[in-house]
Amino acid sequence: MVRPERPPWAVRIQAARDVAEPGKMPQAELQTITIDWPEEDARLSDLAATEILDTEPEPSFDAITRLSAEYFRADSVLLGFADASRVWIKSYWGEAVRELPRRWSIFEMVLAKDGPVVVPDISKNPYFRDGRMTLRRLEVVSFASAPVRSFDGRILGALTVFGCQPRRTMALDELRMLESLADMVASQLELRRLRKCIAGQGVRHPRAKRDVSGKWPGKADLRHALEQREFVLYYQPEVELSTRRIVGLEALIRWSHPVRGLVPPMDFIPLAEECGMIMPIGDWGLSEVCNQIHNWCLDDPAHQSLRVCVNLSARQFAREGLADHVEALLRQSGISSRQLGLEMTESSLIPDMGTALDVLGSLRRLGVSLLMDDFGTGYSSLSYLHSFPIDVLKIDRSFVGRMTEGEQPLQIVRTIIELARVLGMDVVAEGIETSEQYHLLRNLGCRYGQGFLFARPMPVETLNMLLRLPGRVLPDPGISTPLPA
């Protein structure tokens, strides 16, 4: 389902005065509000204190989801906890789901209402504008969800039962049962915390220190930028070297600051990695790209052949539920998995080989293209490359830039291209800036490339002019040709 762009957490569910029947749940209508950041900070602090995120399955939580399924005769049940950008699934019954985007999620409805939400028929609810909701292979028609709260009442997650058929409005005693089951989850969280304390393994979670150094940016600046939609995506074309036809795009984040102008990523991404904002910023980028692909395809169906690539941070890639998150975004935007590429560096793959292989395998089964960025700069490229289901190697710009300096740099690029050929992978050369580099790469058999020689990263409005060129073929870089007006 595709909706107009609005900030997350911008929906409030309010009981309608005139539709509730005695002994039954009232229906819901939508209103817009803004984010209460101090409350959200406190909620996330309470969530962190539970240490529940990204933990192994536990029988106590699985028993609650199973009991919920049996009592409500549900087709699927999810128990999820929401951080800043995702709903992480601790336990499921029925459809196997590990993670969902937080934006436009059922959790958002529960949080906005500050209580349970019941939707007997999705097709008649204004929150779901296309009248549909898909949970992987399950076509959901109805659901009921109750909040899971911390000891001081903040909503950390939700217990949700799903049905494939419309159902009658939930009776109050059924609603109380769902809330009781959610309270059982909350009790398990508290027991979990007490066990850690008794075992001497409790970890204190002090309040985050305020940034009093005066340095810019700080975490609050990043969060404000995300809320105010100051982050923007620029796109750099990837071309087929033999034809100069645009075959793909790489999405690159920029910060359009109202005072400082366009801020490059190196001025804020390291801080985002350090303070934890890289997860919501990265997930925003993924969602934004999927929606932009959808818009391009509406503009011209021929653009369905474009692959748009997004760089993943190490923290994003380390999530076992990444494939489920991506699958949900693909469904929401209505695009094909082959239209999305995910780029990752060797450093994000090597620290935990087991997780890396599981995540890559799930993404490969989903049909998303997998690209290894900055290839050749890591310490274990050759020893591990055959283990990863990578589709594309991207030759680091440092190698491309030195190709003309002597035989050794040229031989390194030649070796990477041959290695990819043997492994059945495509190759994209990054940082092509001169005609000499361009022709050398073509002679070496490199099929694809990107760089300033063809086009710099540019905003969507400028890129659209290139995409409207006949056949999406760029001008010969040896001939000065102005962009179309």
Side-chain angles (χ1 to χ4, degrees), residues 49-51 191-203:
T50 68
E51 300 182 2
L191 284 172
R192 208 169 169 275
R193 185 187 69 81
L194 290 174
R195 289 193 191 102
K196 286 182 176 292
C197 291
I198 293 172
Q201 299 174 357
V203 180

Side-chain angles (χ1 to χ4, degrees), residues 33-52:
I33 58 174
T34 56
I35 307 170
D36 183 346
W37 280 116
E39 180 62 26
E40 175 66 6
D41 281 343
R43 193 194 71 79
L44 291 174
S45 178
D46 283 357
L47 178 65
T50 68
E51 300 182 2
I52 192 68

Side-chain angles (χ1 to χ4, degrees), residues 9 49 56 102 173 195 200 283 285 301 336 353 385 393 442 481 484:
W9 313 292
E56 295 295 322
R102 175 172 163 174
D173 60 337
R195 289 193 191 102
D283 287 347
S336 168
M353 282 284 290
L385 185 59
L393 296 183
R442 286 189 62 181
T481 306

Side-chain angles (χ1 to χ4, degrees), residues 82-366:
D83 61 17
S85 61
R86 59 173 178 153
V87 179
W88 177 77
I89 308 303
K90 173 63 177 177
S91 178
Y92 63 83
W93 186 93
E95 195 66 27
V97 181
R98 291 170 294 182
E99 184 177 311
L100 294 168
R102 175 172 163 174
R103 191 179 191 189
W104 296 111
S105 65
I106 292 173
F107 173 82
E108 291 292 290
M109 301 177 73
V110 172
L111 184 64
K113 188 183 176 185
D114 194 25
V117 173
V118 179
V119 177
D121 189 344
I122 285 174
S123 66
K124 298 177 181 179
N125 189 281
Y127 190 76
F128 304 91
R129 296 187 182 180
D130 60 358
R132 298 178 62 244
M133 177 184 177
T134 303
L135 195 67
R136 301 201 69 181
R137 295 162 296 183
L138 189 70
E139 289 292 335
V140 176
V141 178
S142 59
F143 68 84
S145 187
V148 176
R149 299 181 184 271
S150 65
F151 68 95
D152 55 0
R154 294 189 176 94
I155 298 178
L156 307 181
L159 177 65
T160 309
V161 294
F162 299 90
C164 294
Q165 300 293 330
R167 59 163 296 153
R168 58 177 173 75
T169 303
M170 183 173 280
L172 287 180
D173 60 337
E174 294 176 310
L175 177 63
R176 292 192 184 100
M177 173 58 76
L178 184 61
E179 291 181 302
S180 296
L181 290 165
D183 289 342
M184 291 173 62
V185 175
S187 298
Q188 289 299 320
L189 290 177
E190 183 63 11
L191 284 172
R192 208 169 169 275
R193 185 187 69 81
L194 290 174
R195 289 193 191 102
K196 286 182 176 292
C197 291
I198 293 172
Q201 299 174 357
V203 180
R204 293 189 176 185
H205 295 268
R207 293 177 180 266
K209 295 181 180 179
R210 294 182 60 188
D211 183 7
V212 295
S213 64
K215 292 183 178 179
W216 187 91
K219 181 177 180 180
D221 298 304
L222 295 179
R223 191 168 58 188
H224 178 80
L226 187 61
E227 179 188 4
Q228 297 299 316
R229 300 191 62 80
E230 292 176 3
F231 293 120
V232 295
L233 293 180
Y234 274 41
Y235 295 87
Q236 184 174 37
E238 172 192 314
V239 303
E240 186 177 40
L241 296 183
S242 61
T243 64
R244 302 187 308 280
R245 181 174 184 264
I246 299 175
V247 295
L249 303 162
E250 180 179 1
L252 301 163
I253 192 169
R254 303 287 188 267
W255 183 352
S256 182
H257 193 275
V259 176
R260 299 172 183 263
L262 201 62
V263 182
M266 285 307 298
D267 287 356
F268 63 89
I269 289 297
L271 171 67
E273 291 273 11
E274 179 183 339
C275 71
M277 283 297 293
I278 194 65
M279 290 275 278
I281 292 174
D283 287 347
W284 167 84
L286 264 176
S287 176
E288 197 76 2
V289 163
C290 290
N291 288 330
Q292 185 58 58
I293 294 172
H294 174 80
N295 292 337
W296 276 324
C297 292
L298 288 180
D299 184 56
D300 185 348
H303 294 337
Q304 292 178 7
S305 62
L306 284 173
R307 178 184 65 200
V308 184
C309 299
V310 185
N311 290 279
L312 289 184
S313 70
R315 291 187 63 178
Q316 280 180 291
F317 183 75
R319 290 151 41 181
E320 293 183 355
L322 177 63
D324 292 343
H325 191 111
V326 171
E327 182 178 7
L329 290 176
L330 294 174
R331 290 186 181 277
Q332 289 175 7
S333 58
I335 66 172
S336 168
S337 58
R338 61 180 172 78
Q339 296 174 273
L340 180 66
L342 300 179
E343 297 188 12
M344 56 216 73
T345 61
E346 298 164 78
S347 60
S348 65
L349 299 176
I350 302 307
D352 187 344
M353 282 284 290
T355 300
L357 288 172
D358 288 343
V359 171
L360 285 173
S362 298
L363 291 169
R364 166 60 69 85
R365 288 188 292 274
L366 190 57

